Amino acid sequence: MRGLKTKQSKSNKENHVFVCINCGKTNGELYREILKDVIKLSHCEYCSKVVDKYVEFDPVIILLDALLFKEAAYRHVIYNARVKFHWKLCIMYLLCDAYMKWAHSQTEVQHSPKRFLHFALRWDFYAMFLMAAIELMMFLFSLMGSVSCRLWMRNEKMQKKDYICLHKALLLSCFGKLLVIPAVIWGQVDSLACLWMTRLFMLMSCTQSVRVILKSGFPVALMLVLLGFCVEALVATTSPLLLPIIIAGG
């Protein structure tokens, strides 16, 4: 709590705008420091509830609430937590996605450490990594483009910081790709059920993030995310045509 409090105190001094996790309205502070180690949580000016109860929560509890798709937890992570490691998570996503694609492309894989290291050094794994990066980039661009079109049709505008928050939220919402790690441990990496479970989890997580950013209903957010997944699927279907060219070039 002490490390989190120091971080939030610095943010308060920099006049950062926070968001109430209950109603989504902006507030000037999360808490007030009464004494050296005593703080008082601030209440929202609109709903009169605590602005962000997760300030005092353990990160594990916050993660569990995010896994349960609680809107309050998403608001805390996107707006109030000041997460800056989303780019590192992006690299992890690409590695997991590349390994998943590589595992499905290998029909005669022997699951041993030496076999894995042997194939990991081959050009096809790096080609899979490149394809995963292209698919993720197209997913983000198409989804952000569809959001912009919807706002344009409604004569609404988003500020630059809102697009940055949306981009960060979508990257954080892709943490369902990390499910490949327990799948490798359980030896189910080549299972289609694991692949579909990962996609479904990402669909719900991204939809919840779009809902929080746009303050829209579930059907609208789901439609926008599905459009992004359709573009990603279209790119994925053309990837096998480009993969031999990339491997031959390597």
Side-chain angles (χ1 to χ4, degrees):
M1 177 61 198
R2 181 172 300 178
L4 180 59
K5 189 187 75 171
T6 303
K7 183 177 180 180
Q8 296 293 354
S9 297
K10 182 179 180 180
S11 298
N12 282 331
K13 293 179 180 179
E14 293 175 354
N15 296 323
H16 285 161
V17 177
F18 301 101
V19 171
C20 176
I21 64 173
N22 304 290
C23 63
K25 300 293 184 179
T26 58
N27 286 263
E29 59 183 6
L30 299 179
Y31 62 85
R32 293 181 181 179
E33 187 173 358
I34 301 177
L35 298 176
K36 182 177 180 181
D37 292 325
V38 180
I39 63 173
K40 179 181 179 181
L41 296 180
S42 301
H43 287 73
C44 180
E45 301 174 358
Y46 302 92
C47 65
S48 300
K49 296 181 180 179
V50 175
V51 176
D52 193 343
K53 63 180 181 179
Y54 290 111
V55 171
E56 295 184 321
F57 282 24
D58 190 87
V60 177
I61 299 178
I62 301 175
L63 177 60
L64 291 177
D65 283 353
L67 292 175
L68 295 175
F69 307 113
K70 291 188 177 181
E71 193 171 346
Y74 275 71
R75 287 196 179 107
H76 168 79
V77 174
I78 295 173
Y79 293 108
N80 299 338
R82 307 298 178 184
V83 177
K84 297 182 179 179
F85 54 84
H86 52 285
W87 292 111
K88 297 179 181 179
L89 285 178
C90 183
I91 301 299
M92 291 293 297
Y93 299 156
L94 295 179
L95 289 174
C96 291
D97 200 10
Y99 179 71
M100 181 71 76
K101 293 177 180 296
W102 169 83
H104 282 277
S105 65
Q106 301 293 331
T107 57
E108 298 179 354
V109 174
Q110 296 179 1
H111 300 285
S112 63
K114 293 182 179 180
R115 188 71 171 178
F116 171 76
L117 292 176
H118 172 73
F119 278 104
L121 294 176
R122 292 179 53 180
W123 281 107
D124 54 354
F125 180 82
Y126 299 106
M128 293 293 182
F129 183 87
L130 178 60
M131 292 301 174
I134 295 175
E135 292 175 12
L136 180 60
M137 181 178 62
M138 294 304 299
F139 168 73
L140 294 176
F141 285 170
S142 60
L143 182 52
M144 296 182 71
S146 61
V147 169
S148 300
C149 291
R150 178 182 180 273
L151 293 176
W152 177 76
M153 294 176 62
R154 295 172 59 91
N155 293 325
E156 299 177 0
K157 294 183 179 180
M158 285 182 63
Q159 298 180 1
K160 182 179 179 180
K161 62 178 182 179
D162 295 326
Y163 281 105
I164 295 176
C165 286
L166 178 60
H167 184 263
K168 181 179 71 173
L170 292 176
L171 285 180
L172 293 175
S173 300
C174 292
F175 64 89
K177 292 180 178 290
L178 299 180
L179 292 175
V180 69
I181 297 178
V184 171
I185 297 176
W186 296 331
Q188 300 294 326
V189 70
D190 55 346
S191 173
L192 291 177
C194 178
L195 178 62
W196 281 106
M197 183 178 64
T198 301
R199 305 301 293 179
L200 179 61
F201 188 89
M202 284 184 55
L203 175 64
M204 298 303 299
S205 181
C206 291
T207 301
Q208 194 72 332
S209 295
V210 174
R211 285 187 62 193
V212 170
I213 297 294
L214 298 182
K215 300 178 182 179
S216 62
F218 180 81
V220 174
L222 180 61
M223 181 181 63
L224 295 175
V225 175
L226 284 176
L227 180 60
F229 272 99
C230 290
V231 174
E232 183 184 10
L234 180 61
V235 175
T237 55
T238 59
S239 296
L241 302 177
L242 301 177
L243 186 59
I245 300 176
I246 297 177
I247 296 177

